[in-house]
Amino acid sequence: MQVKINGKTEEVTAETVLDLLKAKNIDPQMVAVELNSAMIERDCLSATPVKAGDQVELLFYMGGGQS
């Protein structure tokens, strides 16, 4: 099925948001996930289904700044 991930259409086979993160080798603790404009709590990633046409935004945590 096709979903949009960070604005780019991709073909995925994931059934849940957690499956999608695992398929992309993304640590769930290092990313915030928005599905169709709604933030998904980490404890709900494995229970939140991904459907064709969904829009997923992955927001990565990054360190840095002034030292």
Side-chain angles (χ1 to χ4, degrees):
M1 79 180 128
Q2 290 188 341
V3 298
K4 275 196 176 180
I5 301 175
N6 290 353
K8 180 182 171 192
T9 301
E10 294 189 31
E11 188 71 29
V12 300
T13 58
E15 292 184 19
T16 67
V17 173
L18 184 59
D19 292 341
L20 177 66
L21 295 177
K22 287 180 180 179
K24 295 185 75 56
N25 295 318
I26 297 171
D27 180 354
Q29 297 300 317
M30 299 303 295
V31 67
V33 180
E34 185 178 280
L35 178 66
N36 300 323
S37 301
M39 294 301 292
I40 306 299
E41 297 291 330
R42 275 194 189 85
D43 59 352
C44 296
L45 294 175
S46 63
T48 303
V50 176
K51 299 177 283 248
D54 278 351
Q55 293 189 33
V56 181
E57 293 293 326
L58 304 175
L59 309 166
F60 293 90
Y61 297 110
M62 301 179 85
Q66 278 186 315
S67 52

